């Protein structure tokens, strides 16, 4: 759960993710449509969030991966689905790789 950027009200969303050490990593995509997903805009405004997983709850802080880290994590997602690069071409902007680090 994260706070909404305008209202501050708690918002929740179900996301697919990969684990990268202690971090959870996801892609900021809106079904590959062009607009940024609301959950990512909310996390940019309020990066602290709570993640509910089957093994418990984690408090995290969101950030966008950049440079070599982004390339490495993007490749990890492509390894799970070779169609990701093709899907990403539907967007006019680069798809953010979002890292959720333990807070």
């Amino acid at each position: 759960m994260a706070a909404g950027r305008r209202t501050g009200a708690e918002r929740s969303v179900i996301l697919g993710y990969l684990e990268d050490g202690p971090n959870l990593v996801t892609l900021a995509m809106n079904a590959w449509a062009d607009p940024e997903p609301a959950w990512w805009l909310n996390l940019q405004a309020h990066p602290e969030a709570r993640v509910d997983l089957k093994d418990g709850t984690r408090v995290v802080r969101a950030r966008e991966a950049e440079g070599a880290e982004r390339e490495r994590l993007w490749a990890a997602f492509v390894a799970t689905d070779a169609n990701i690069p093709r899907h990403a071409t539907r967007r006019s902007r680069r798809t953010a790789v979002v890292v959720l680090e333990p807070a």
Side-chain angles (χ1 to χ4, degrees), residues 1-3 10-15 24 43 46-53 56-62 100-101 103:
M1 294 215 167
E10 280 196 349
R11 304 287 183 206
S12 63
V13 63
I14 297 171
L15 297 172
L24 305 175
L43 283 174
H46 305 284
E48 299 287 331
R50 186 181 78 235
V51 178
D52 296 320
L53 302 169
T57 299
R58 296 184 198 180
V59 176
V60 297
R61 183 168 181 82
L100 304 172
E101 298 175 316

Side-chain angles (χ1 to χ4, degrees), residues 20-92:
D20 184 50
N23 301 331
L24 305 175
V25 183
T26 191
L27 299 178
M29 53 140 180
N30 192 8
W32 299 110
D34 207 39
E36 294 285 23
W39 64 263
W40 176 228
L41 297 173
N42 290 339
L43 283 174
Q44 288 174 311
H46 305 284
E48 299 287 331
R50 186 181 78 235
V51 178
D52 296 320
L53 302 169
K54 67 180 179 181
D55 62 347
T57 299
R58 296 184 198 180
V59 176
V60 297
R61 183 168 181 82
R63 66 175 176 79
E64 184 173 356
E66 297 289 347
E69 179 189 40
R70 182 193 190 283
E71 296 308 313
R72 178 180 62 80
L73 295 171
W74 181 263
F77 274 100
V78 172
T80 68
D81 182 350
N83 292 313
I84 286 177
R86 182 173 51 85
H87 294 316
T89 64
R90 297 180 191 167
R91 304 184 79 218
S92 66

